[in-house]
Structures are given as C-alpha cells and as structure tokens.
Amino acid sequence: MTTDPKPETDIYTRRESEARSYCRSFPVEFAAARNATLTDRDGREYIDFLAGCSSLNYGHNDPDMKAALVNYIASDGITHALDMHTGPKAAFLETFERLILKPRGMDHKVMMTGPTGTNAVEAAMKLARKVTGRETVIAFSNGFHGMTMGALAATGNAGKRGGGGMSLHGVTRMPFEGAIEGVDSLAYITAMLENPSGGIDAPAAFLIEPVQGEGGLNAASAEFLKGIAALAKKHGALLIADDIQSGIGRTGPFFSFEGMGIEPDLIPLAKSLSGYGLPFAALLIRPDLDIWKPAEHNGTFRGNTHAFVTARVALEKFWADDAFQKQTEAKAAVLTERLKRIADLIPGARVKGRGMMQGVDVGSGALAADICARCFAEGLVIETSGAHDEVVKVLAPLTIPQAQFEAGLDIIEAAAQDAVSETTRIAAE
Amino acid sequence: MTTDPKPETDIYTRRESEARSYCRSFPVEFAAARNATLTDRDGREYIDFLAGCSSLNYGHNDPDMKAALVNYIASDGITHALDMHTGPKAAFLETFERLILKPRGMDHKVMMTGPTGTNAVEAAMKLARKVTGRETVIAFSNGFHGMTMGALAATGNAGKRGGGGMSLHGVTRMPFEGAIEGVDSLAYITAMLENPSGGIDAPAAFLIEPVQGEGGLNAASAEFLKGIAALAKKHGALLIADDIQSGIGRTGPFFSFEGMGIEPDLIPLAKSLSGYGLPFAALLIRPDLDIWKPAEHNGTFRGNTHAFVTARVALEKFWADDAFQKQTEAKAAVLTERLKRIADLIPGARVKGRGMMQGVDVGSGALAADICARCFAEGLVIETSGAHDEVVKVLAPLTIPQAQFEAGLDIIEAAAQDAVSETTRIAAE
Amino acid sequence: MTTDPKPETDIYTRRESEARSYCRSFPVEFAAARNATLTDRDGREYIDFLAGCSSLNYGHNDPDMKAALVNYIASDGITHALDMHTGPKAAFLETFERLILKPRGMDHKVMMTGPTGTNAVEAAMKLARKVTGRETVIAFSNGFHGMTMGALAATGNAGKRGGGGMSLHGVTRMPFEGAIEGVDSLAYITAMLENPSGGIDAPAAFLIEPVQGEGGLNAASAEFLKGIAALAKKHGALLIADDIQSGIGRTGPFFSFEGMGIEPDLIPLAKSLSGYGLPFAALLIRPDLDIWKPAEHNGTFRGNTHAFVTARVALEKFWADDAFQKQTEAKAAVLTERLKRIADLIPGARVKGRGMMQGVDVGSGALAADICARCFAEGLVIETSGAHDEVVKVLAPLTIPQAQFEAGLDIIEAAAQDAVSETTRIAAE
Amino acid sequence: MTTDPKPETDIYTRRESEARSYCRSFPVEFAAARNATLTDRDGREYIDFLAGCSSLNYGHNDPDMKAALVNYIASDGITHALDMHTGPKAAFLETFERLILKPRGMDHKVMMTGPTGTNAVEAAMKLARKVTGRETVIAFSNGFHGMTMGALAATGNAGKRGGGGMSLHGVTRMPFEGAIEGVDSLAYITAMLENPSGGIDAPAAFLIEPVQGEGGLNAASAEFLKGIAALAKKHGALLIADDIQSGIGRTGPFFSFEGMGIEPDLIPLAKSLSGYGLPFAALLIRPDLDIWKPAEHNGTFRGNTHAFVTARVALEKFWADDAFQKQTEAKAAVLTERLKRIADLIPGARVKGRGMMQGVDVGSGALAADICARCFAEGLVIETSGAHDEVVKVLAPLTIPQAQFEAGLDIIEAAAQDAVSETTRIAAE
C-alpha cells in the first residue's frame, strides 16, 4: 500500500479516520463509472479489476438497473420501509424464487439482514447456534467473514482480529484445503473431531468460503466441500457456505458451489446481490431451520428497497438463462491462460482461484504490491490478497468487454515483466 | 403485534424468514411515500409516526435530496467505491465539518463503518478496547445497540440476547437513570466501581444512549450524563454516546447531548444520517483516539456514495442555521402537551422521552398494542417500545406539517380513549 | 503487611515464589502448635486469632484427632485411595449423615472434590450450569470463592481477579446486602432480574457466603438470604451457600445458615471440615441434583483418607449434642462485647460479622495493619480482611480456653489504644 | 467399568455423589496398604498397578516417611500453617534445591499452590497469561490437566469438558505428536502459527505433558518437545511442562523431560510430590517469571506441612544419588519386554508410553476393560486410559519388589490370553 500523497490539509486526511484503506492505494478522486471503466475527477479513465471486491459483478451503473432505480426514485417509491412489505421486495423475492431457487431445487427462506456481509454471517452463526444449542463454529485458516465481533472471531487475519481489542470466542480454527503442505486437511479435521479426547467441542456449524477471496484465492475442491458437508451432517452441525465474495456468478454459476454436490444449510450473500453496488445482504436458510422469532435478529436497514429494485433487474437480465454463466466461463478460461503466462514470468509463481476469481501468487507481498502499483500507473485498478498480500488478484466485472479485459491483462503482464526485470537488474548490480 | 393475515401462499410468508417483524404489525404493501405520508398499493394513505424508527427525521423522499440523488445516478456518478475518494464523500466531509463539527467545537474524525448502526457500535466498542487495553464495556439496562455479537452483548433485551445462541461477553450491565425505583443509579455505579472488591472490572468504556429508544424512551438527565462522563474520565474509560436513534435532530439539536455538558469520545451515528433513509453509518472519534491502522476495521459498503449525496443536501438544508432545531423544539412542545392529555386518559400513564422522541407509558404492552392497532386502523403507523412494549412511541418525521402532526395525535388520543373505554366496558360486564 | 525481614539468602526468599503472603506478616518460623497456641522455633508462644483462616475451628492438633490419626498411620491404614472405598470414608459418611444431615432434615449427597475450597466451589458452579443449562452465576460484591478460573470469576477482589491474566466469564456481579449505602440490594437484584430488558441473563445459580470472610465480615441477614433463596427458586436458579469459611461451627451452628429459613441446593465445605487442618473439601448436593456421571469431575486427591479419620473424630467429639454450639455462642457474646469496647476507642469504627467470625472495621487499612502488627509484637497472630483490609478480624479457634481468649482480646484492645494514641500524637505534632 | 455391586442401602451409594468412579471398578473396601500391596477389609491382598494414578511412585506408606510423619504429628508439629514459615517447609525447600534443582542446573522458584494438580496448572496458566499479556494457551489433543475451569479448558476429554456446563475459553487445541496418522504435528502447528491469516492467536504458552497419562500413554519424543520449545521461544510464549503424572521418577529421572534438551519455564508438580500420597502440589517457576504479587494466587491449604515432612524424606531417600533412577530404568526395561509379549497376544495391539508409565493399546475399550476386570478378579488393581479407554496401563509403584512386579505382569498376560481366547471362542461359535 502506498501512503496517501495528499497534503495534510486535504479533507480526507483531516477528517476521515485512519481506518480508511483503499484510497491509500489509489490516491485519486473518482467521479463516475460505467461497467468496467472508472473515471477520476480529472477525466482520466481506469480499467477496474477490483470491482468493489466482487460487489460489481455486473459492472458499474448497469444502464437497465440505473433506469429502473431512477424511475423508482422519481416516482417517490418508498425508500426506507424497515422490513415492511413493499412492491420491490415482493418482486425481488418472486424473481429470486423463480430464477435462482427453483431451477436449483432449493427451497431456502430469505432473511433480510442488515445490508452488510458481516451481518449476514452473524445471522448465520447465531442461527446455527440457536438450532444446535452448541457454541463452536468451525472456521478455516485464511477465512474472511467480517469485522463485527461474531464474524471477526471466524476471520483468520491477525491484524483484523487484533482490531477486536479483546479475545474472540466461539470459533475453532481448522486448516482450509491445502493450507498446510503435506497435510490432508479433511483427514486432519475428521480425526480431530472424531477423537473423543481431541479437545474440539461438537460444532454448531462449519463456516466455509468455497473460494477464499481475501485469504488468497484458495478454491476448495468438490471433494473437500463434500467431505466437510458429510462431516457436518455426521456431527449434527450445519454447513454455512459464505458465498459473499464468491457467489452471484463470480465463479460462473450463481452460487460458487453449484455442481459440487453439496447443499448448504445457510448461505450468506451480499456484495453483488444488489447488482448495482448498493448495500444489501441476505441469508438463505433451509426452511426447516428458519426458527427465528419475529424481530429476534432485526436492524434498521434490512431490505434496502433501492437494492430490491436493482437486484430484481439483475436477476432478470443475467439469470433468466445460462448465457451469462457461459460467458463468464469463457472469460474465465481466457483469464486462466493469461495468468499462467504471467506466472511463467515469475520464478515460483502460480495461478490460484476459480472462474473470474483468479490471480497469481507471486511469492511475496512486496512484489505483488509493486506489480499492482505499476498497473495503477498504467490505468488499471487492481489489488492483492492472501495472508502476505502475495496474490495479484483479478476481480474484473463479469460484464467487462473482451477487449478491455485483455487490455487489463496486458497491463498486468507488462507490469509483472517490468517488476521482475527491475528486481533482476537490482540483484545484478 | 398482529399476525400476518396474508394467505400461506403469499410471497412474504412463503419465502421471507420468520425473522420479519414490522410487516406483521402493518400488513399492507407500501408503494410510495412523501414526507410523513405513506401510500399503500391500493392508494390508501397513512400518517407515519414511526419514521423508519427515526431513520426518516427529514421525512420520506425529501425533494431536494431526491433531485440530487437522481441527478447523481443519471450522470453515472460512481455508486460503489469501497472507501476510495469520491466527490460526494469529500463534499459530505467538508459539509459535516463546517456545519456540524466546527460550530460545536468538535474535532472528531469520521470513520465510515459498514452502513448499519450495529457496525458503528461494534467499531466503537472495538476501538475503546484497543485504546484502553481493557475488555469490559459498561452498558445499561434497557439499552439497545444492535444485533451483531459485540453490540448484542451490550443490548439488554432478553429476546434479542437469546437470539445470539451463545453467551455474550465483555459487557457489564448497570442500571440506567431511574431504572430501579429508589436507587440512585449514578451513586450505585460509582460505589460498585470504586469498591476494589466490588467485582466489576475496570471498564474500557461506558456505552450509553442519551435517550433510550427501544428501551422505552428513557431520557437521561444532564446530571446523570455528566456523572457518567466524570466517572469514565476518573476510571480511564471512554464515553461512547450512541446517538443512532436520538441524534440527527431527533431531540432538537443535531446531537441529543448538546448543551448537557458532556464531550463524548466516540459517537456512533446511523439511521437519519443519510437523510433519505439510505443505509449509512459513521463513528465519530476524538482525534487522539483514532489509532486504527488502515483497514483494521473494514467492510465492503463503508461510505455509501448515494448516502453521501443525500446526507450533504440534508446538512445544508437543515443545519446551516438553527431554524430547524427551533421548529423541532416547537413541535416537541406541542407533542409533550398532547401526550400529557393522552396520558391523563389512562390511569397510571405517564409521558416519557425528550424532544420529538416522546411517548406514553400506558402501563401494559397489551394496552399499548391495542392503541397502536386502533391507530393503524385509522391510518396511523405507530409502534411501541419498552421492556414490556408498554410505551406508545411517537417518532414522527421532524418535518411533518403541523396539521398532519396534530391529525396523527388526534388519532392516538381517540384510540387511547376508545381502548380505555373498551377496557372499562369489559371490566364492567 | 510487613515485608519479609529475612536476608536475601534465606531459603524462603531464595526459593519460594513471591506469591507467598502470610509469612510476610508473621516473619518467624513456626514449629509446633496446640489448640490456640503457636510456638516458634525459638520457643516463643503466640495466641492464634487467625486459626488457618477458619481452618482450625477446633484448634491445632486436637489430641483425640491426633491419636486417631497417628494410630491410623501407624497401622498402615491406606493413605491414598483415589476415590475407592475405605473404612475411614465409610465411617466419615455414616457419622456425617447421623450427626449433621439427619438432625437438620437434610438429605444431601456428599461429593468428594479435590481437597480445596476452590475445587468445591468449581464443582458447585459446574453442576449448577449442567443442571440448569445456563451459564451465568450471580455472585456478590466482596465475595471470595477461590483462585482457579471458575471460582476466581466469582471472586470480587480486583487484585486476585487481575492474577487471572485474562477475562473471567460466566459471572454477573450483584451487591451484597448493605454493600451500597442507601440501596436495598435485594430490591435492586429483583428489579434487574425481572426487567426483561435489564440485560441480566437468567442465572444458573446464586453463589453467596452467608458471612463474607475475606470480604470484610459482612453477615447477611435471614431476610436477605430468604429473599435470595426465593428469587433463585422463582427464576429456576440454584442456591449455592459457600460455607467454607463461615461453616463448621464458626458462627455457632454447624452451618452458618441454620435457623435462617433457607435450604441451599449446593453447599461447598472445606477449611475446618477435616477438623485437623488437613486438606479436605466436599460439596453437599441436594440428591435430585446429583446428575454427575462417574468421574465427570474427578481429581487425584479427592477424599483425603487422613482427613476422613480426623473429620469423623471431630464430628463425634463436637457435634453429638449442642454443647459445643452453645459454648461457641457464649464465646461469641463475649467477643461482641469486647469488640464493641475496642470499636469505641476508634472514631467511626464498628463491629462486623457474626458468631466467632467478628471483627472491627477501623476505617482504614493502614490503621488495621498497624493494630495487627502491634498485636503480633505482643504475641498475637491476627489478620485483616475487607476490600481495603480495613477490618481487624478475629478468627480464634472455637476451642480456645476462655482465659487465653480474653488475653488475646486484651492485646487487641491495648494495640488499638496505642495505635489511636500514636495517631493522635502524630496529628498533634 | 463395572457397576457398583453393593446394595442400594450401602453408605457409599446412599450418601456419596454419583461422581465417584474408581470404587465402581474395584468394589471392595480397602483397609491397609504397604508398598505395592493393598489389603481389603476381608484381608485379601491385591497388587497395586494403579498407584494412585502415579501418586504413589514410592509405594504405599513408605516406612521412613511414615516414621517421620508419625514423629512429627506426635510432637505437635504444626499441621496447618497457611503459607507461614515452618521447619518442614524450609527443610523441604533446602532439600529440593540441593537434590533436585542444583544438580540439574535449574534455578526455579517453588510456588506452593493449592495441593492439587489442577491448582498448579491453573497457577501456571494464569502466570503465563500475566507474563505475556496474551490469553491463548495452546494445549494438545488427549491432554489432561484438571477439572477446574481454567485447567479443564486445556483438557481434551469430551466427557470431562461437558461437565463444565459452559463453554471453556482461552485454549487453542493442537495435535499431540502422532495424534493424526500421516500428519507431522510439529510441522502442522508451526505452519498454522506462522500464517498471519491462520486464525490462531499468538499464544501465552504451550501446555504439554511430556508423556500423556490419561490421554493414553502417548510419549513425546525429544525432537517434538524441542520443536515445541523452539516454537514457544520464537513466538514469545512460555513452555509449561505438566509433569504431574509423568514426573517424580515415573519415567526414570526426576523430571520426565530430563535429557531431552528442553528447559521448561513453568513445571506443575503434584501426585507423587509428597511421596506418601498426601495432597501436595507446587509450581516451579523460572525465577525471572516469578512476577506474582504476594497472595495474588492464594489458598488455604498451600504448603501441606505433613506433605513437606514426607516429601523431604522421599527426596533424601530416593534422589541423593542415581541408584533409584537406574532401578526404575531397569524395571522399565522389563516392563517393555513383558508388555511386548502381551501385545503380541492381541492382534493389532502395541506397547505405548515410556519408563514405568507404559501400557498396551489393545484396540478397544471393551477388551481393555475385560482384561482389567479379569486382572482384578485375580488380585491385581489396574486401570485403562486413552480416549477410548483402550490402553491397559501399568502404573506400578517404582519401588515394587521385582517378584511382585513380575507376578502382576503374569496376571495381565494371563488375563489378556483369556480375554483373547474368549473373544476367539465367541467369534467361532
């Protein structure tokens, strides 16, 4: 991360908390955006390979969603309705049921939680504990689930955890697939759980991201996910698939776990759920587990009406048939190929992730940061992830035009080439 | 609460989680809204005395905010920007600094947390623990701070706490002012804290709502707040004033604690902060306490850009001078008078609260629910609060036209009259 | 507390942990003891008004217990038996049943816990949580229950709590009777518990010392204890009477709560239970609550066989009729009278406690320490208690000969007189 | 475990808590004991291969300790002295320093904790947290450390943990050496700790038994212990070697970790420390870590004076030279050989443990229980251990005469032979 280059007296430095972060990597002021193109105050354009950390799977300001939203606002459609019934909510629910749940044989209830991913995760953890009467949620190394105390306990990152200022309870940590070289994580978890003196309490749930985003684009295999699902079933625990970053088409299908042989009990969704970048989150709940009492988990901004409007348009536009999924898969294939080429430039580097959620582990945070900074100088917004920020992560809008996508990839390739050359040059001196 | 009258097959019953709540009290579908008027699908109009639980202090869909928002959206202004710099954020910060902070002699930093009140509270609790190296946050009987695990620990309501499904840590409960008849809460708290064998750990913070909303419109006196502030200072604890429901003009001034002689260290804001009902929250931080590291508490929807647009308009429109505060105070005086008249109808009833956050404690949840149901039948949306839902709570938009305000109050008065008559009639039979 | 006057090189300073404490107040080496008389290495005799903090209610080395113990050891009676059946255990249980339980209409089961008070308290807290399925144990200001993490959570003393090195969970603190001037503790506790938004979780148990020893000789009234018992019953919580320091005759009857109208569910006993100062503890359990599974709470030294031998002798010698209780009550009356006289010497001082567990609150820890130091110089071993160590505490053996008892009291009176005179003299200079 | 055959009306059934356990396996009443021989009420003799779970490493009622103890008691030597100075304490400390610490190059301070292993472990965990300011103690699968809440959190056994009745905090579980087939535990632990997103908080300490007793006689290798020690040092954590069951000569040397290249910071000792089966525990503390304040961790029965008397005799008798260690090693060699022969009788069985702390994992709890029951019928007291009680565990007194030792081993061998034959016979039917 670069430090903020603005003078001490700019409004951000003067008035915004030190907690601010992305603005430090991209120290310009953004003014407008359309699909994969960001425009700053000075009219300079950037290709967006960050996409709101997967909150903009359909790109910025999709024209159909925009039209629907402007129309809704202009007509004095109700903006804030607490969790009362509104037309947009009904339309969203009906569309979600028709286009997402039914075709996938799912009968989940939709819980409108506070409009943040962490809130949906908290609701899932609370419900799993209520349903099972157990406290322990098993979460995974490199998992990222949010910043509020319940979700933070499940988040692996030491810096984030340290922000809690106190001990975090109720979570037992297990290794994600492939986390420890030479260790079969599934076998390890199974053995520890099945040893009555293993010291691991019977879990309320397993909380897993099918593809870990912040943790470094670690993609679980179907075998691993099925193993965890079977273990959960055997031990009376729920399976929570946190599809906040990996869902809503990011890996191809609507849910990242489709076709992998698992049926999660609880599915927190957020980020791209609204389609338009608006705050919106929901928890999908297997209907027999929906034992909430009215208002038992409530919140002022549950069911953001503006988000209902755009989310419905997004579902109709992109999920009425499988064309969008196929396009994503085609782009993902390009991505894999191009990233392999980039990885080949860097000794020890390797491609990680799945679908349009891939990147290159370049082996060090310093090199990854150098590459990203070079990209930004060339007009590409891109970030790192991983425990050591060692992965250059591509999270382009799924809707990005092919040419622009390739242009962005060209920038990364050139940046990687330059970074490696510079490193070699310096080493040679 | 009435139960949902819709057939089993309606989309809400079929697909939305049982956690939904307000829709059960107001089983209609809302379509549009303007200032204090809600309109349902069938064109029926309702006066809104709920105002999104104080999220709509400026009423629904204020035309100036609407115009600015539509204009921003239409121009492809960036919607989702993570926490990068944007024009609307700069404009909001500058306006907030100029119109809110500076005139009040405050130098707080603004932390954009996830756009929910609970997230701002969690950030405050985390920061207080980080700053002090202590775990215990002292919260109060009848306090309400949110549903995520950190904030939930500070929330008093047994039902909500039970939703957590596990023990909640890090909070010690103390009585709010007047909570226990015959007990001087401040003296009690002081004595327990100052007894080295009292068993109360040194606190990281006191977390207090100057006026408790959900807890039953309990308004702390300046003396109590000053006493808590002094105790915090003496014991090296921070003072967190949760002004989520009571702030943004609800009691008259922008902050509910203005003029009460306290200077809170941390101030979570949400609800009416955006002005337009959009999800938005922030934590004000005394600048020397802003020890966050970049991204130490992060989140996808920090700094909702649409909300920056409307919030700035709201500040300019309502807080450039003291006219709005004076109008609110005038309305509040009317409210007090009318509520006293209503209280006089009900044996043992009494008026509670402060400013435009007042209500009548009618002595029982059943009677309060009866009155609210009668109101709704007459076209008034109004809810209860309090530990036993025993307070009929008026949270009208501050911008409500005088005539409509009085019409709403007439409905309550008639409903109270009818409810009492019916009770008397039944008792007499 | 005086600091250890021994040279750096003595074995205690060189090799024993800094945690050692009483030896700092009484920096001599004790060699032998008989009833209320301690003899040091140099043959100097001391009157013992500390009695092992009430572990020596029958004095040091009672000749009948000694004879039985020596005989048992000499005959190769089994010393360590884990929790297997032994003759001494059977004899102890039968005697305890016959002389203690039956005459008092009690049918409690006896659980041999690890031979320390803290272990008996831990077992009680665990069992209460198992039985009720709840976590929260309500403990009281100035309560003292032990140093292991479960019991420590229930202990009020800030210094001891700080020794835990981490947050202590599962306990909610309430004020003991009279803890806060002007606050009716029972009314306060009742109101907080009965407020559904009070934020106090439903308790598994109330854990109370009928007379607080370390906390400053605070004696609960029958009214308070009955109130707590009723509250426990109403809320489905157990009543745990920690009679470790106050039991075994210390206040007159075997249990300190006899005649006060309560029937505790769980009663931890330790200290004087063995009669001879040997490590021994037990938990009395209302039979229907004895849901332990075999070895669910175990430990190597449960059921110290030597202690069974002496404990049985103690029961037969002192509890076969009410003579001992009457003697204690007679001594207690003398104690009250003499302490009142002493209190009269000191402005603001007052007598506290009950039975042979009384002392004088002299208003400051410094003065109390001064008095105790003067006593030690005159051959009286006596300590302080209370949150500020402000109570000069008399815990003489119940068996102390009358003349020696009065001689000890004379020493205190003279010491108090001298301390006050000196204070006055210094003040006058 | 067999169920208690006594009639409902016997005193144990009638009056002792259901928590009692060993008496269920050995339903006789023991009367006397000498070295490795137990005698029941009816005069029947048993060979003791349980030895108070390693509390009787020097056998029952050693005549020299007995003589010293009887002499001390007869002379009215002080029995209960709180933690004041006494001759026996000084003599114990001097002897411990001279015969144990100095020859091993150790300079540890001795903390007299409550006289139970769990109390020594709690003191160690508390001190580690105080010293490091961290909460997490890393404990191991199959670890057993005690029943009070702090130590219980570190204990792996699910049944014991369940007895706590609430969640247990502050411990992260890691696999003991060899716990998971195919997993290099040390590599696993290292990788999880060194991953900044691994989700394992920086530990205050590693708490490890060099040989796990209750957990199934799992003996850590020097390589593993050195690895853990190095990891602790690297991460700023303390190393706590719980030598309660494995220490005091059980594996040959005084400490079980001697010669393994580690220098533990904290060493809880109990069980055989008194030599005579008397309750006694201590925590050895590296001197620079002895930051306890006086009485910060206290307790009534710290420093059992009778135990000081016998412990000193034990040290002088057995540890003045290396003869005893050599004898133990010679016996251990016999034990290994004999157990291998027994293991050979049982398909899949294997010998486990180290020194005089060895047993045979027979593959199932049922078979192990069957063998132990057959042994008891033949006059041998022996128990199982392990997560499934699958290990027949030999914990004979180290002082057992060779002939009696072999007689006991003969009984096991015959019992194993019979059990296997019976199993085979039944299977064949």
Side-chain angles (χ1 to χ4, degrees), chain B residues 43-266:
Chain B
R44 194 182 170 206
E45 293 194 341
Y46 303 81
I47 303 172
D48 188 359
F49 269 27
L50 179 52
C53 288
S54 203
S55 298
L56 296 159
N57 287 356
Y58 313 114
H60 290 270
N61 298 338
D62 173 87
D64 296 309
M65 300 183 211
K66 178 168 79 169
L69 178 59
V70 165
N71 187 53
Y72 184 75
I73 297 172
S75 71
D76 280 334
I78 191 166
T79 300
H80 187 282
L82 292 164
D83 72 348
M84 296 191 280
H85 299 324
T86 64
K89 181 195 280 188
F92 166 75
L93 285 170
E94 279 159 359
T95 310
F96 192 80
E97 179 182 66
R98 180 170 48 88
L99 296 180
I100 304 302
L101 296 178
K102 287 208 168 156
R104 289 160 182 82
M106 296 169 68
D107 193 30
H108 288 64
K109 301 288 280 294
V110 181
M111 178 185 178
M112 309 301 177
T113 67
T116 63
T118 198
N119 201 303
V121 169
E122 295 257 349
M125 294 174 79
K126 286 167 68 172
L127 186 56
R129 286 167 176 148
K130 265 180 72 75
V131 164
T132 60
R134 302 173 179 173
E135 174 175 322
T136 302
V137 169
I138 291 183
F140 292 85
S141 58
N142 288 36
F144 185 97
H145 302 284
M147 292 295 105
T148 48
M149 292 300 271
L152 185 58
T155 293
N157 185 287
K160 309 284 189 235
R161 291 172 67 81
M166 64 175 268
S167 292
L168 299 163
H169 299 299
V171 168
T172 288
R173 188 75 42 183
M174 288 290 173
F176 195 78
E177 187 180 14
I180 316 281
E181 212 180 303
V183 172
D184 176 338
S185 293
L186 188 59
Y188 173 81
I189 299 165
T190 303
M192 284 295 275
L193 268 177
E194 303 203 337
N195 173 359
S197 288
I200 306 298
D201 293 320
F206 289 78
L207 170 57
I208 190 162
E209 298 156 281
V211 186
Q212 295 186 321
E214 300 308 302
L217 301 178
N218 308 304
S221 66
E223 190 183 15
F224 185 74
L225 291 175
K226 277 188 287 190
I228 294 296
L231 209 50
K233 194 162 190 179
K234 180 172 179 186
H235 289 271
L238 304 193
L239 177 62
I240 309 173
D242 177 341
D243 224 10
I244 292 172
Q245 185 163 153
S246 50
I248 325 286
R250 175 52 60 185
T251 67
F254 188 82
F255 298 109
S256 70
F257 51 77
E258 288 182 40
M260 301 187 93
I262 64 169
E263 298 178 345
D265 300 298
L266 304 175

Side-chain angles (χ1 to χ4, degrees), chain B residues 135 142 158 161 167 195-197, chain C residues 135 142 158 167 169 195-197 201:
Chain B
E135 174 175 322
N142 288 36
R161 291 172 67 81
S167 292
N195 173 359
S197 288
Chain C
E135 173 175 323
N142 288 35
S167 292
H169 297 300
N195 174 359
S197 289
D201 293 321

Side-chain angles (χ1 to χ4, degrees), chain D residues 111-284:
Chain D
M111 178 185 178
M112 308 300 176
T113 66
T116 63
T118 198
N119 201 305
V121 169
E122 294 257 348
M125 295 174 80
K126 287 167 68 172
L127 186 56
R129 287 168 175 146
K130 267 181 70 76
V131 164
T132 61
R134 302 171 180 175
E135 173 174 325
T136 302
V137 169
I138 291 183
F140 292 86
S141 58
N142 288 35
F144 184 96
H145 302 283
M147 291 295 106
T148 48
M149 292 300 273
L152 185 57
T155 292
N157 185 288
K160 310 283 189 235
R161 291 171 68 80
M166 64 174 268
S167 291
L168 298 163
H169 299 300
V171 168
T172 288
R173 189 74 44 183
M174 287 291 173
F176 195 79
E177 187 180 14
I180 316 280
E181 211 180 306
V183 172
D184 176 338
S185 293
L186 187 59
Y188 173 80
I189 299 165
T190 303
M192 284 297 273
L193 266 178
E194 304 203 339
N195 174 358
S197 289
I200 307 298
D201 292 320
F206 289 79
L207 170 58
I208 190 162
E209 298 156 281
V211 185
Q212 294 186 321
E214 298 309 300
L217 300 178
N218 308 305
S221 67
E223 187 183 20
F224 186 73
L225 290 175
K226 278 188 287 190
I228 294 296
L231 210 50
K233 192 162 192 179
K234 180 170 178 187
H235 288 271
L238 304 192
L239 178 62
I240 309 173
D242 178 342
D243 224 10
I244 291 172
Q245 184 161 154
S246 50
I248 324 286
R250 174 53 58 184
T251 67
F254 188 82
F255 298 110
S256 70
F257 51 78
E258 288 181 41
M260 301 187 94
I262 64 168
E263 298 178 345
D265 299 297
L266 304 175
I267 307 164
L269 295 174
K271 290 194 182 276
S272 280
L273 183 59
S274 81
Y276 202 72
L278 298 173
F280 184 30
L283 175 67
L284 306 188

Side-chain angles (χ1 to χ4, degrees), chain A residues 135 140-143 155-159 161 167-170 173-175 179-184 187-188 191-192 194-201 214-215 386-388, chain D residues 135 140-143 155-159 161 167-170 173-175 179-184 187-188 191-192 194-201 214-215 386-388:
Chain A
E135 174 175 322
F140 292 86
S141 58
N142 288 36
T155 292
N157 184 287
R161 293 171 67 81
S167 291
L168 298 163
H169 298 301
R173 189 73 44 182
M174 287 291 175
I180 315 282
E181 212 181 304
V183 172
D184 177 338
Y188 174 80
M192 283 297 274
E194 302 202 339
N195 173 0
S197 289
I200 306 297
D201 294 320
E214 299 309 300
H388 301 277
Chain D
E135 173 174 325
F140 292 86
S141 58
N142 288 35
T155 292
N157 185 288
R161 291 171 68 80
S167 291
L168 298 163
H169 299 300
R173 189 74 44 183
M174 287 291 173
I180 316 280
E181 211 180 306
V183 172
D184 176 338
Y188 173 80
M192 284 297 273
E194 304 203 339
N195 174 358
S197 289
I200 307 298
D201 292 320
E214 298 309 300
H388 300 276

